[in-house]
Amino acid sequence: MDSLSDSTWDVVISGTGLPQSLLALALSRSGKKVLHIDKHDYYGSAEAALSLQEVESWADTIKKDDGQTPFRCPVSRDQEQDTHAAGDGKPPKLGFSRAYSLSLSPQLIYTRSNLLPALVSSKVYHQLEFLAVGSWWIYNTDGSEEDGSQDEGTKGLGATKSKGSLRRIPGGREDVFADKSIDLRSTRPLMKFLKLAADSEAHVSVLKEWGEKPFPDFLSSHLKISSRLQPPLLALTLSPNTPTETLTAYALPNIHRHLTSIGMFGPGFGSVIPKWGGLAEVAQVACRASAVGGGVYVLKKGFEKDEDTGQQSPQRAITGVDEASQISTLRLEDGELIKTHWIVGSKYDLPSQIQESSDEETVQMARSITVVSSSLSQLFPSQGEGAPSPAGTLVVYPTGTIEYESGNHTSNTLKTEQPPVYLMIHSSDTGECPGGQCVIYGQTMYLIYNDAHSLLRTAIHKFLVNAQEDQTLQILWDLHYDQYHIPPATANDYDVNIQCDQFSNDHVLQLPDLAPELVLEDDVLKHVRAAWQRIMGEEAVGFMLFEDREGVGNDDEGGEM
């Protein structure tokens, strides 16, 4: 094909984020003629994984184009002088740029996620490799580990009275019984809770009474679980909110998902991460599989921008719509005109003026990426006989465990109002950094009282103090930035959520961007399916169900232009 304007496309999809890439795959393999474009020169959009040099370039671009992506205010620093333990010999250094593949929005995938069977049924799983997420850890300040009451599998790391310790979160009944710091009297209500959490049918009556009440109230009043034992249970919810803002209706299903995912694909783990850059790798594989199905994808090509605002606008990008045929004419950045029946993208990939709305509620998340000069092997213990070696782990700093200064607010207010901090640790086995190093992905939510990045930096410092065993442990490089997210219009009406109400053309669909949370939610694929169904027609069947085709599994670029 000499030019993109030579034919009329069934669908033009803008952006190579995970939702758009999965939709491109589903549509191209369902017989639709798909043009898949992205204004960036990399795959993944907000889920991209970049080398060190690419991340630095990305940060510079974000500073100039504020508001054109979900990211804001990036600040990176080379910190090879920041040493957490004095060492002898030659200090460690960063590797070369391409030795890193740093994810802008890392998320773990539970083994019960609807994405994994979809990747299997679409035959693209051959090109992907998933790695186990092992132990989960929680920062503990009560000093209980020092009395030697815990066994080797549950004791804390780096325990001292002054700095607290990291304690492994029990992953099930066996772990609770093995943890000798939990007395028999406390074990009984914990066992009752674990049984309840694993039984989804029992949730109905519980949520009817407790669903809209804080989860700690449910644990204390209904199950008589002491406040000392509640933080690990709250950690399993992965809630970005404070305990009082974490409702039982949110917490109980999330813990159910966690417990029932463990052991599904093997002993000792319940979640995985894609190798070589997380969700960006899944998006790239989907793009290439789409090309095998006849789709065409083009990087560094977006909608034409308005000369005055520098933004993509419907006046410039969508030049006309034929009412009879419902074919839209689009103008791309180079002035090329293309015709299409459908237009699909995220908030940040469609012409921006379509998206403006003053009453949208925005979630703001502080994120960080930190490269350290240690493998942190003590955080990746074996999960048992026959279990795969873990390449990822999670560390949780609950509300009230971090002291830091923020303006004129009192320390007591800060401790009770601060959100939890989550650190996702990826080893070099992920392909995201050289051997002997780790990548720490941190995140915490902005609330009224908190300086989110001060909170993140304090948590990372505490973590490195607790985790150090290597005498040359250093922060080699770090990046702090913010991510914004507008939740979908409804909780579970996926057909409504993909409507682009700001534009009169009902053949323009908007896929919600991924929430900046720790876990890939099933809603992502449900929104993709809703868009596929709208374009294919209500009678269409066989979403993401494909036969093997020649070329799938090859490393060629397929239909890239």
Side-chain angles (χ1 to χ4, degrees):
M1 182 180 294
D2 296 327
S3 172
L4 300 178
S5 60
D6 284 348
S7 63
T8 298
W9 302 90
D10 292 321
V11 189
V12 171
I13 299 176
S14 182
T16 55
L18 181 64
Q20 297 102 305
S21 300
L22 292 174
L23 180 61
L25 169 61
L27 289 171
S28 68
R29 298 292 292 273
S30 297
K32 293 296 184 183
K33 185 183 295 185
V34 177
L35 173 61
H36 194 180
I37 62 176
D38 195 316
K39 59 188 176 184
H40 303 294
D41 59 357
Y42 52 81
Y43 294 96
S45 296
E47 294 84 63
L50 307 174
S51 68
L52 277 178
Q53 184 177 350
E54 289 170 336
V55 161
E56 296 284 3
S57 177
W58 169 85
D60 290 339
T61 301
I62 296 302
K63 293 173 185 177
K64 298 174 184 177
D65 297 332
D66 194 34
Q68 297 303 296
T69 75
F71 301 110
R72 307 284 191 279
C73 310
V75 177
S76 65
R77 295 184 295 176
D78 184 324
Q79 293 193 338
E80 291 182 4
Q81 74 283 358
D82 188 351
T83 305
H84 285 264
D88 299 324
K90 187 176 180 180
K93 298 289 185 180
L94 282 169
F96 62 93
S97 175
R98 287 288 175 186
Y100 299 88
S101 182
L102 305 175
S103 176
L104 299 179
S105 305
Q107 292 185 325
L108 58 83
I109 304 172
Y110 273 113
T111 57
R112 288 193 175 274
S113 167
N114 60 4
L115 176 65
L116 298 181
L119 295 176
V120 172
S121 65
S122 62
K123 310 300 181 185
V124 301
Y125 69 97
H126 300 290
Q127 304 174 64
L128 293 165
E129 182 176 352
F130 292 94
L131 305 172
V133 177
S135 299
W136 290 26
W137 305 84
I138 189 168
Y139 182 69
N140 183 50
T141 58
D142 63 12
S144 62
E145 285 80 5
E146 288 193 275
D147 61 8
S149 61
Q150 290 185 290
D151 67 14
E152 199 65 29
T154 58
K155 69 180 181 181
L157 296 177
T160 71
K161 290 183 178 178
S162 61
K163 65 184 180 183
S165 65
L166 297 178
R167 175 180 172 185
R168 192 165 71 87
I169 298 174
R173 296 169 59 91
E174 295 80 5
D175 289 342
V176 171
F177 281 117
D179 191 338
K180 297 178 181 178
S181 69
I182 304 176
D183 59 63
L184 183 59
R185 184 175 181 180
S186 299
T187 299
R188 292 193 183 99
L190 281 175
M191 290 297 103
K192 181 178 179 181
F193 171 76
L194 293 175
K195 181 179 179 180
L196 169 65
D199 183 3
S200 59
E201 294 183 0
H203 294 183
V204 177
S205 59
V206 170
L207 295 182
K208 184 176 181 179
E209 179 181 357
W210 292 95
E212 298 306 310
K213 298 177 182 178
F215 185 53
D217 291 353
F218 166 71
L219 295 177
S220 299
S221 300
H222 186 69
L223 294 173
K224 310 303 180 185
I225 295 177
S226 70
S227 58
R228 183 180 71 86
L229 299 177
Q230 291 180 16
L233 299 179
L234 279 159
L236 295 182
T237 72
L238 297 180
S239 172
N241 295 305
T242 62
T244 56
E245 296 295 323
T246 300
L247 302 182
T248 306
Y250 174 92
L252 197 56
N254 281 0
I255 295 178
H256 170 81
R257 175 179 59 183
H258 178 89
L259 296 175
T260 56
S261 293
I262 296 174
M264 186 172 181
F265 289 158
F269 72 100
S271 57
V272 296
I273 47 179
K275 190 174 182 179
W276 307 116
L279 297 179
E281 183 69 8
V282 180
Q284 183 170 347
V285 166
C287 285
R288 294 182 174 182
S290 170
V292 173
V296 173
Y297 64 93
V298 190
L299 299 180
K300 297 186 68 174
K301 189 178 286 288
F303 295 114
E304 188 172 66
K305 296 180 180 179
D306 188 292
E307 295 179 359
D308 295 328
T309 65
Q311 298 180 355
Q312 298 172 341
S313 69
Q315 287 84 356
R316 299 289 299 177
I318 305 178
T319 63
V321 180
D322 185 292
E323 297 296 337
S325 63
Q326 286 295 298
I327 294 177
S328 298
T329 301
L330 307 179
R331 190 192 306 274
L332 301 182
E333 285 179 318
D334 56 4
E336 187 172 13
L337 295 176
I338 59 175
K339 296 182 182 294
T340 181
H341 290 272
W342 291 88
I343 308 167
V344 187
S346 74
K347 168 183 172 63
Y348 299 98
D349 295 301
L350 291 173
S352 59
Q353 291 183 22
I354 294 177
Q355 314 304 331
E356 293 178 357
S357 179
S358 60
D359 58 352
E360 293 174 316
E361 180 182 353
T362 303
V363 174
Q364 184 178 358
M365 192 73 70
R367 285 191 178 277
S368 66
I369 306 174
T370 305
V371 178
V372 297
S373 64
S374 172
S375 63
L376 299 176
S377 58
Q378 69 275 23
L379 290 173
F380 302 92
S382 171
Q383 301 300 293
E385 185 177 354
S389 298
T393 189
L394 187 70
V395 179
V396 184
Y397 287 79
T399 292
T401 58
I402 300 176
E403 295 182 0
Y404 72 106
E405 296 181 359
S406 179
N408 297 321
H409 299 295
T410 66
S411 60
N412 187 53
T413 298
L414 289 172
K415 291 187 70 173
T416 57
E417 296 293 336
Q418 75 180 32
V421 176
Y422 295 94
L423 305 180
M424 192 183 300
I425 322 297
H426 288 191
S427 75
S428 60
D429 290 343
T430 62
E432 296 174 20
C433 63
Q437 298 180 14
C438 273
V439 182
I440 304 171
Y441 296 103
Q443 70 178 68
T444 190
M445 181 179 286
Y446 275 92
L447 295 179
I448 296 175
Y449 296 111
N450 75 312
D451 178 350
H453 286 288
S454 292
L455 190 60
L456 267 181
R457 288 189 176 95
T458 303
I460 292 168
H461 172 76
K462 283 183 174 290
F463 167 73
L464 294 176
V465 169
N466 285 122
Q468 64 180 338
E469 288 188 356
D470 186 338
Q471 292 300 303
T472 60
L473 174 59
Q474 293 180 353
I475 294 178
L476 300 177
W477 180 91
D478 77 351
L479 172 73
H480 283 252
Y481 55 101
D482 297 335
Q483 184 173 2
Y484 288 72
H485 173 67
I486 298 175
T490 71
N492 52 22
D493 193 332
Y494 306 104
D495 198 55
V496 169
N497 291 343
I498 64 173
Q499 294 176 3
C500 189
D501 295 332
Q502 291 85 356
F503 196 54
S504 58
N505 185 352
D506 60 5
H507 278 219
V508 178
L509 303 180
Q510 177 181 308
L511 288 170
D513 54 316
L514 271 63
E517 297 181 353
L518 291 154
V519 175
L520 180 69
E521 297 292 345
D522 285 350
D523 285 354
V524 173
L525 195 62
K526 292 177 181 179
H527 284 120
V528 171
R529 179 166 190 154
W532 178 86
Q533 199 77 60
R534 182 83 68 88
I535 294 168
M536 294 296 300
E538 292 301 320
E539 301 302 319
V541 295
F543 173 68
M544 296 291 278
L545 295 174
F546 312 129
E547 297 298 326
D548 281 314
R549 296 179 61 161
E550 184 179 356
V552 174
N554 295 337
D555 291 329
D556 59 80
E557 292 298 309
E560 183 181 17
M561 295 186 65

